[in-house]
Amino acid sequence: MATAQVVRPGPIGQPDIDYAPDLDKYLARVAHRKATEELKNELPEGFPRELKSDLVWNGSTIANEYDFIYQLNAEELEEIENALTHFKSLGKPLGYIDQNTFPLPKLHAGLRGISDEVHNRRGFKVLRGLPFDKHDREENVIIYAGVSSHVAPIRGRQDHQFDGKPADVVLAHIKDLSSVVDANEIGAPAYTTDKQVFHTDVGDVIALACLETAAEGGESKLSSSWTVYNELARTRPDLIRTLTEPWASENFSGRGDKYTLRPLLHYQPKTASTPERLIIQYARRTFTGYWGLPRSSDVPPITEAQAEALDALHFLAEKHAVSLGFKKGDIQYANNLSIFHARDAFKDTPEQQRHLIRLWLRDPEHAWPTPEALKSRWALYEGVSPENSVFPLEPRIRSASGANNKPLE
């Protein structure tokens, strides 16, 4: 099993920073920068000193303030079983799963409430109690996609090819594959047992369904990026400025430019029809590299200020995080625009192996406006057709996260 990071040279001038955050290095960098640089004490023009919203919360108290579990009851489970039977009777490909082909007339209102909660209130909800033990893999995928279509009906493209052919791959597997794939082929922690640091994905809503928990560890955690913003705005406004500047984000997909320049933080002031909104969108590995996808030597290095900002985001998110107690049969819905997510390292056994499946969703009714700098990234929702949608039933590494996209037996 691959357990060590594959180390290769990065760009000249890259700070001493790895994918795995190092608290001692972070504190030393903070001390050095404070001692040697004149750090600005003003926020960027127009940015708030404090965000006030239900989206601002602390993991140590949120469970007392908000019941984030939606427990399915017997009547709702029966309705899901009937919807599964109905969809299978249609004989349609999985890309045609939607609110009409997977009808949930009574549960629908509760699932629309989850969408409202995710977009407009606390930013996350866990749907608990799906009967994954009763069904095979394809039926569980149908249930997952069918229920989720009532929360957010548009599925995003997570890969552009399947078995070497163009396709809209809308389902991804999060599972340790390091025992069957060489470390040089793995470029994302999703396919290892490593700790996954706080980050965001792409798109509006991240839906993760738990097919199986780890034998040990692997706890799923969420943290409010709005809470992290408030603490940085209060204590380190210079880092807010750093986050709003262009960053060279490496593109590991092999398509288009080698990297793109964009800020990590986007602020949208209140308008006559929308409240103020703040978005932090980033994946640490695109600035540090990971295993088989190290940061390329021909990509600009990040700065010392950016290295400190990356660590600050992680350690503050960790400070304010909530653990979800993720169980088999759960679906975690999180607002990718206001929530960081992470997971602890874990251990599997031959009998019990952590296995999640993921959808990137969008709900036109509640969707936030997409910042101009992110619109090209959000093209994952454009042109995804039912007939070209693919739901891989077995784990494989996405083309943007590894050197190949072959199925793994």
Side-chain angles (χ1 to χ4, degrees), residues 176-197:
D176 175 35
L177 301 177
S178 60
S179 63
V180 293
V181 177
D182 185 87
N184 289 281
E185 301 295 333
I186 295 176
Y191 309 111
T192 75
T193 62
D194 277 359
K195 175 178 180 175
Q196 200 165 14
V197 303

Side-chain angles (χ1 to χ4, degrees), residues 7-55:
V7 178
R8 295 193 181 95
I12 296 173
Q14 178 82 354
D16 181 15
I17 185 171
D18 297 316
Y19 174 80
D22 185 310
L23 182 59
D24 291 337
K25 287 182 182 180
Y26 167 55
L27 295 176
R29 180 172 279 117
V30 172
H32 180 74
R33 293 195 65 231
K34 285 185 174 181
T36 60
E37 300 181 37
E38 186 175 342
L39 305 178
K40 294 185 178 181
N41 291 320
E42 303 85 23
L43 291 168
E45 184 176 355
F47 277 66
R49 294 190 176 277
E50 182 182 13
L51 295 165
K52 296 182 179 180
S53 167
D54 284 346
L55 291 168

Side-chain angles (χ1 to χ4, degrees), residues 21 23 26-27 30 57-60 195 197-199 221-237 239-240 243 280 282 284 308-322 340-342:
L23 182 59
Y26 167 55
L27 295 176
V30 172
W57 49 261
N58 192 307
S60 63
K195 175 178 180 175
V197 303
F198 282 97
H199 66 287
K221 296 179 178 179
L222 300 180
S223 191
S224 164
S225 61
W226 288 37
T227 299
V228 170
Y229 173 89
N230 279 352
E231 185 157 345
L232 284 176
R234 185 176 68 255
T235 62
R236 290 296 303 276
L239 291 183
I240 297 295
L243 291 169
I280 302 178
Y282 82 110
R284 184 181 174 102
E308 184 190 351
L310 283 177
D311 279 345
L313 290 178
H314 172 76
F315 287 115
L316 287 177
E318 199 167 55
K319 173 183 175 182
H320 297 295
V322 62
F340 298 135
H341 62 281

